[in-house]
Amino acid sequence: MSGKSGINSLEECLEKYIPPEELREVRRILYGQEQEKPLELSGATLKIAQENDFEVKGYRFQAEQEHLRPAKIVRVAAIQNSIAAKTTDPVDVQRNAIYDKIEKMIKAAAASGVNILCLQEAWTMPFAFCTREKHPWTEFAESAENGSSTKWLKNLARQFNMVIISPILERDEEHGDILWNTAVVISNKGQVIGKHRKNHIPRVGDFNESTYYMEGNTGHPVFETAFGRIAINICYGRHHPQNWLMFGINGAEIVFNPSATVGSLSEPLWGIEARNAAIANSYFTVAINRVGTEEFPNAFTSGDRKPPHKDFGPFYGSSYITAPDGARTPGLSRHRDGLLITEMDLNLCRQVKDWWGFRLTQRLPLYAESLAAASKLDYKPQILKED
């Protein structure tokens, strides 16, 4: 369950092989800042991380001091993790083991004053969707409003005064027990604010997730929390710029991207998409990926003419956070469980809008007209040819 692949992190390679006097310029070009700004974490956070063998990192994003608006400081956390029990164990054993692991990581986040925390996609279970088998994996599905993980996290959210985003496999009991890939948003008062269902469903080799659920029906909701306006772009939705766009149009200040993806499939895209979305839409983005290799009882194929196999390969972690000006944190490890805490001033969203003017110049009416035309069956692409 903890298979490794290659380097621990891109940042370690840069630091190892690039001379210090050149590294600052490399960081400026690659990450938008010459040197990241570290955030001092509490001793309790560091102690919990050491005792439970997970990585913890902290950074800060600053904004200009304004005359009329006070700073709007919020601390945001992302958790990446491997599963905690064998996929052959009973469902309740697997679920309880992951609860135990995640509770420690949430407590570590709370000890450093985290206000909003997001877990990875389908965090309560192994990423069994690649197997395309229904049982026992559908037993992990639960009600978004009253399911086991929601009830459990509501208590932690209330205890720590923390908004928690919980991406789960949802069972819609009021509509025929059908399944959805859903993110539940729990307020710092321990109440469910609402949920969002994954808009884009991959059909790429093993990631043929339509075996379990189809495209969501919740639109692009933005959740008004005590600490800022947040949205969730679940996994495969990060490949669709229009998905990111709509969360920005609806007023998001932070958009989380809880994911589960392996290196052979998507790693060259990983550091680009969430960062580009932050730039294009003038909000913060939080990209979260799981780690480890999950082995299943029965072999499955990838649709790539290769022999059947029992794992999909290692998830590569590398969770990171990007500010609206394009500056980003280093990523977490490609192999280890990790907690990434970042302090940000949400005033930066408006400041970047004023500076770059991307929202000012985006020309929505032009694209609305063009997209409406392109969605019709009689659409003809606007291509001009020489007679």
Side-chain angles (χ1 to χ4, degrees):
M1 291 187 299
S2 59
K4 293 187 177 182
S5 173
I7 63 175
N8 183 61
S9 73
L10 178 62
E11 291 76 26
E12 286 187 8
C13 288
L14 295 177
E15 293 172 359
K16 182 177 180 180
Y17 293 109
I18 299 178
E21 63 273 12
E22 297 178 5
L23 183 58
R24 293 176 65 88
E25 184 69 359
V26 170
R27 281 176 167 154
R28 182 188 68 81
I29 296 170
L30 290 182
Y31 286 177
Q33 52 188 351
E34 292 183 355
Q35 182 66 50
E36 64 270 6
K37 301 176 179 65
L39 175 67
E40 185 175 353
L41 303 176
S42 74
T45 296
L46 300 177
K47 185 173 185 289
I48 295 171
Q50 183 178 22
E51 290 176 346
N52 295 281
D53 191 28
F54 62 85
E55 178 183 31
V56 61
K57 291 185 176 181
Y59 302 101
R60 299 168 60 232
F61 291 120
Q62 295 175 301
E64 294 289 336
Q65 184 176 353
E66 299 187 17
H67 295 279
L68 300 180
R69 291 193 305 171
K72 192 175 181 182
I73 304 297
V74 59
R75 287 196 177 186
V76 170
I79 289 179
Q80 68 175 39
N81 59 274
S82 59
I83 57 176
K86 296 178 180 179
T87 60
T88 50
D89 287 342
V91 168
D92 60 334
V93 172
Q94 294 186 57
R95 186 185 65 185
N96 292 339
I98 203 69
Y99 282 8
D100 183 63
K101 172 184 278 196
I102 294 301
E103 182 173 11
K104 295 179 176 67
M105 301 180 82
I106 291 176
K107 287 181 177 179
S112 283
V114 165
N115 306 117
I116 306 172
L117 179 143
C118 187
L119 300 168
Q120 65 194 23
E121 183 185 23
W123 71 273
T124 62
M125 61 184 292
F127 204 77
F129 312 131
C130 58
T131 69
R132 299 187 291 278
E133 295 179 338
K134 291 300 183 72
H135 298 288
W137 316 121
T138 54
E139 291 189 50
F140 284 96
E142 58 182 298
S143 163
E145 293 77 18
N146 302 300
S148 169
S149 66
T150 298
K151 290 179 179 178
W152 181 72
L153 287 173
K154 285 168 72 172
N155 291 328
L156 293 176
R158 187 184 307 112
Q159 178 183 351
F160 297 127
N161 191 34
M162 181 191 297
V163 173
I164 299 178
I165 302 165
S166 174
I168 62 168
L169 180 62
E170 178 194 4
R171 183 175 295 282
D172 190 351
E173 298 171 342
E174 296 183 354
H175 297 91
D177 275 334
I178 62 174
L179 305 179
W180 302 97
N181 187 320
T182 299
V184 184
V185 180
I186 302 170
S187 80
N188 57 310
K189 296 180 180 179
Q191 300 298 318
V192 174
I193 301 177
K195 63 188 177 185
H196 173 55
R197 292 167 173 161
K198 188 172 180 176
N199 277 333
H200 298 275
I201 306 303
R203 295 165 178 84
V204 182
D206 286 323
F207 275 46
N208 186 4
E209 296 177 20
S210 58
T211 304
Y212 295 84
Y213 39 75
M214 298 299 287
E215 285 74 13
N217 59 2
T218 53
H220 295 86
V222 170
F223 302 89
E224 185 83 52
T225 77
F227 307 109
R229 296 189 302 273
I230 65 174
I232 308 98
N233 183 1
I234 304 173
C235 196
Y236 194 72
R238 73 180 180 276
H239 303 310
H240 295 269
Q242 300 90 341
N243 213 38
W244 293 106
L245 171 69
M246 288 306 303
F247 292 121
I249 287 175
N250 286 336
E253 295 171 302
I254 312 169
V255 180
F256 296 85
N257 178 227
S259 299
T261 182
V262 295
S264 60
L265 187 68
S266 65
E267 195 164 12
L269 309 178
W270 179 252
I272 300 170
E273 291 168 314
R275 188 180 182 196
N276 183 67
I279 296 167
N281 298 288
S282 304
Y283 50 50
F284 291 88
T285 59
V286 183
I288 308 164
N289 187 26
R290 65 172 62 195
V291 293
T293 300
E294 301 172 1
E295 184 171 319
F296 295 93
N298 301 318
F300 51 92
T301 60
S302 298
D304 58 5
R305 301 183 180 180
K306 293 183 179 180
H309 43 270
K310 291 189 175 183
D311 68 73
F312 195 66
F315 297 97
Y316 54 80
S318 306
S319 302
Y320 68 97
I321 296 177
T322 301
D325 61 1
R328 56 153 287 183
T329 71
L332 290 178
S333 168
R334 296 173 71 245
H335 310 302
R336 296 182 63 197
D337 291 351
L339 170 65
L340 176 61
I341 300 175
T342 301
E343 181 179 279
M344 54 188 69
D345 185 344
L346 298 183
N347 283 351
L348 186 61
C349 297
R350 181 190 290 180
Q351 292 175 11
V352 170
K353 289 175 186 176
D354 289 346
W355 174 251
W356 277 110
F358 294 148
R359 295 294 295 271
L360 174 70
T361 58
Q362 65 185 348
R363 303 201 62 190
L364 290 180
L366 170 65
Y367 293 104
E369 180 181 349
S370 299
L371 289 171
S375 67
K376 297 178 181 178
L377 292 177
D378 61 354
Y379 177 71
K380 301 294 184 184
Q382 188 178 2
I383 300 174
L384 304 179
K385 299 180 180 179
E386 183 180 11
D387 291 336

